[in-house]
Amino acid sequence: MPLVFRRTIVALLAGFAALVIAAYAWMPEPANRPAADAQAASLPDNWIIQPELARQLISGGALVLDTRDPLLALVQPLPGSVPVQWQAFSQADAPSRGLLLDDDDALSQRLQAIGVSADRPVVVIADNSQGWGEDGRIVWMLHTLGHEKAYMVDGGINALLASGSITIPTVAGAGDFVVNRNERWLTTIETVRDRLDTEDGVFVDVREPREFAGAVPYGETRGGHLPGAKHVYYRELLGANGRLLPEAQIRALLTSRGITDDVEVIAYCTGGVRSAWFTAVLHDLGYQVRTYAGSMWEWSAAEADSHPLSTEIAFRPAS
């Protein structure tokens, strides 16, 4: 499909999604809201849930956010879900595109406009076979902004639909969620810079091997990785079916790369999407983990003398 035609379709779909989102402001509250309230009181602390639980939450009135490329959503629609793009909640200009918006009021308004409420569970959907971990980015964002009941589905939309179609009750009306930041899972360029000269924690680069080695396919100013960083391409944690590997296998893989659960992990990628997904996985395994949302877009644009990058590749045991 020609690039111009594709962009035109995406723009039209995005405009349609904006109209749908705006419509929530005047629609009445759904009748199934009490069920969602009741569920929210007994939900797990994990950020990743199995498809069976996701179906239960959706049936009870959870908000469903669809993070897929609009073209993928057009091919495999999920009626009743709300389309979202992580960029809508992030800074627009380079090199800060991976950073969340600074304005909490603006973030609250945007989240309320798509139906996010403090006491309503949020189930976030992605396509694990073709996505970049956008569901992890949205779930990480919601927890970082203070929403404690946001979940991504292990296996994404394919796992959710594996046992048949699903009916998503209409979640009508604007939400009431107000941002109350929790920076437990977030770190900054200043902290990363300070830790380069210490042994306090471990940096984990979750990009492709070519990026770790110095390639700049996604707009980085300079190539390479943080000095001393470990490399775990985030897709290594997934099986061929798009589901997470068993916990024991993930732990063994991480240990083989020098990553253990007794030190804090700072994960980074290009703009904080893949690393946020990785953070969600490690969070559920009990690791101390933070996402550097600015990641390589921000770091590589900073002064090279004070923000160094390396292209040296240390020996890595086979996984």
Side-chain angles (χ1 to χ4, degrees):
M1 178 183 295
L3 181 59
V4 172
F5 183 53
R6 175 185 172 89
R7 286 178 173 171
T8 300
I9 292 177
V10 171
L12 290 172
L13 290 171
F16 175 74
L19 291 174
V20 172
I21 289 172
Y24 287 134
W26 58 266
M27 295 174 70
E29 284 293 305
N32 57 18
R33 178 65 179 272
D37 292 347
Q39 286 177 326
S42 59
L43 288 174
D45 293 328
N46 284 5
W47 294 6
I48 306 171
I49 59 176
Q50 297 305 305
E52 297 76 18
L53 178 55
R55 281 177 167 271
Q56 293 176 25
L57 295 180
I58 293 169
S59 296
L63 175 69
V64 181
L65 300 180
D66 189 343
T67 68
R68 293 175 297 161
D69 183 300
L71 288 178
L72 294 177
L74 183 65
V75 173
Q76 190 180 27
L78 200 60
S81 65
V82 179
V84 297
Q85 300 292 314
W86 65 269
Q87 294 92 336
F89 311 99
S90 302
Q91 298 182 29
D93 299 325
S96 303
R97 288 176 291 168
L99 301 176
L100 295 174
L101 292 173
D102 290 328
D103 189 334
D104 286 357
D105 289 338
L107 281 170
S108 295
Q109 291 171 10
R110 294 188 185 192
L111 291 168
Q112 290 171 12
I114 60 174
V116 178
S117 289
D119 56 2
R120 176 185 291 145
V122 179
V123 175
V124 186
I125 301 298
D127 186 325
N128 284 12
S129 64
Q130 302 189 55
W132 291 72
E134 294 92 342
D135 50 353
R137 169 72 180 208
I138 295 296
V139 166
W140 166 84
M141 176 192 75
L142 287 171
H143 282 275
T144 297
L145 297 181
H147 198 297
E148 299 180 351
K149 302 301 178 183
Y151 306 96
M152 56 188 273
V153 181
D154 182 17
I157 187 170
N158 292 328
L160 184 66
L161 298 179
S163 59
S165 61
I166 187 169
T167 300
I168 302 176
T170 300
V171 178
D176 60 16
F177 177 72
V178 176
V179 168
N180 182 20
R181 296 195 187 226
N182 180 350
E183 298 189 353
R184 177 180 173 185
W185 300 288
L186 171 70
T187 197
T188 65
I189 190 172
E190 292 81 13
T191 298
V192 172
R193 178 66 192 89
D194 291 344
R195 291 196 179 186
L196 279 181
D197 299 324
T198 73
E199 296 182 358
D200 186 12
V202 59
F203 297 114
V204 180
D205 188 317
V206 305
R207 299 175 298 160
E208 302 164 36
R210 61 172 177 159
E211 297 174 85
F212 187 76
V216 289
Y218 304 120
E220 304 92 331
T221 303
R222 295 178 285 131
H225 53 267
L226 293 178
K230 312 296 183 181
H231 181 242
V232 181
Y233 180 39
Y234 83 107
R235 284 191 174 275
E236 292 184 75
L237 306 188
L238 293 171
N241 61 357
R243 303 287 292 270
L244 286 170
L245 296 174
E247 178 178 338
Q249 286 186 239
I250 294 177
R251 288 186 178 275
L253 170 63
L254 296 175
T255 299
S256 75
R257 308 286 168 82
I259 305 163
T260 56
D261 60 9
D262 59 346
V263 296
E264 184 173 73
V265 172
I266 293 179
Y268 71 93
C269 55
T270 305
V273 177
R274 292 171 287 182
S275 55
W277 183 94
F278 185 82
T279 293
V281 176
L282 265 63
H283 167 273
D284 284 6
L285 295 178
Y287 286 71
Q288 306 169 60
V289 59
R290 296 176 185 267
T291 292
Y292 170 34
S295 283
M296 285 296 294
W297 277 337
E298 182 181 42
W299 184 268
S300 68
E303 289 291 334
D305 289 345
S306 54
H307 300 79
L309 290 169
S310 172
T311 56
E312 295 182 4
I313 307 296
F315 171 75
R316 190 181 78 177
S319 58

